[in-house]
Amino acid sequence: MFRGFFVKTISFVGYTVQYGCIAHCAFEYIGKFVSCSGPSMEPTITNHDVFFSERVSRHLCRIQKGDIVIAKSPFDPKMNICKRVIGLEGDKVCTSGSSDVFKTHTYVPRGHVWLEGDSLQNSTDSRSYGPIPYALIRGRVCLKLWPPHSFGILAESPNNGRIL
Amino acid sequence: MAQTGFGRRYFKAFVSGFFVAVPVTVTVLDRLAYVARVEGASMQPSLNPDGELSPDVVLLNRWSVRNYQVQRGDIVSVLSPKDPQQKIIKRVIGIEGDFIKTLGYKNRYVRVPDGHLWIEGDHHGHSFDSNTFGPVSTLSPFQFPPNLAGFSRSCPWSGVSHHLATQSVAADRAVCLSRTKTAVKLGWSNRGWL
């Protein structure tokens, strides 16, 4: 009787390990569900929306301008940020605000990306801390799942002038 | 009839084994440990003292850095901020909040920002490190310190032996630098000073 119980426990642990590893591989290499909070990406993303973010384009290095990406915060490795890619390496980005008279530009260094939130007034992004390394990007947000009335692919950037 | 039965059983066994072996291996390599070969001369004499003749193979311990706790003196493997597909192995000189006196960086003194590290190769002047690109963010090192334990010369994996450090760095933990033909090297390397 004790032996049967022992065998059952071992097989249960074995199945848990196997399915845990499969889940890890799926989350790491295919995609996962994320929930974003904060006002920096309005109106594209509102508070507590649920998305599916895919990891395939990150591993194949196919992130493009205009994609919304999830990245690790450069100042706190335990926090994630969700922003739009405005410039890739070598691109020219505008660093001055829309109300400034003189426009300043800078070039994104090699291996870095320039991120900005869609809601320019409520977002701390590359305009404050500079371009972030491409290696910090964790995935690309591709599909909005909740709330159901705005299900589907995410919209283009509402700030047309930012992407040069 | 018997042939088809055998083929189907074989196929089923193969698929079920595949779905156990591949995810478990990938998870172990991502979360626990990872083996890598060191190229280049930027960490001489600690790593690759013979240069390209016999490159060292190191075991990278990913489990110990799952909470991003890295100490000064650890050797870490990071993703290069200039090229996200290249990994570089260097030593941590400063963690967040430290003031570093740099060697050839654009500012003479640098305060390491929050969430960043200052890494340098042991072979100063031949190293592509923070003196070139500045502090690195803690998440781009997602692979972490080589966990080093000693190996005897006779055969690999036979046991763990610790020897005292042969280099002139002050260390408060024993370091083993024995080199074997298979070049699998594990050991702790810790610099007691900043």
Side-chain angles (χ1 to χ4, degrees), chain B residues 96-110:
Chain B
E96 61 184 11
D98 290 346
F99 280 93
I100 306 284
K101 184 174 170 190
T102 65
L103 304 164
Y105 187 56
K106 52 185 178 181
N107 302 327
R108 189 95 187 269
Y109 293 95
V110 164

Side-chain angles (χ1 to χ4, degrees), chain B residues 16-37:
Chain B
S16 62
F18 180 85
F19 276 105
V20 170
V22 167
V24 170
T25 310
V26 168
T27 307
V28 164
L29 290 178
D30 277 350
R31 295 271 177 187
L32 295 180
Y34 188 81
V35 175
R37 194 176 64 174

Side-chain angles (χ1 to χ4, degrees), chain A residues 37-94:
Chain A
S37 62
S40 62
M41 285 293 291
E42 299 205 346
T44 317
I45 298 178
T46 44
N47 218 354
H48 302 308
D49 284 351
V50 176
F51 302 92
F52 182 73
S53 80
E54 50 103 2
R55 308 287 305 258
V56 177
S57 46
R58 156 69 180 97
H59 285 294
L60 299 176
C61 288
R62 286 193 198 280
I63 302 278
Q64 281 154 3
K65 264 199 286 203
D67 286 346
I68 302 182
V69 295
I70 308 275
K72 285 282 178 181
S73 162
F75 297 107
D76 185 2
K78 298 191 174 104
M79 282 194 33
N80 293 332
I81 57 177
C82 176
K83 301 276 182 258
R84 198 181 287 268
V85 173
I86 300 294
L88 300 171
E89 60 184 13
D91 288 344
K92 188 167 147 186
V93 291
C94 181

Side-chain angles (χ1 to χ4, degrees), chain A residues 40 98 117-124 127 159:
Chain A
S40 62
S98 51
D118 282 350
S119 166
L120 291 172
Q121 298 93 331
N122 289 331
S123 167
T124 44
R127 290 169 299 158
N159 310 316

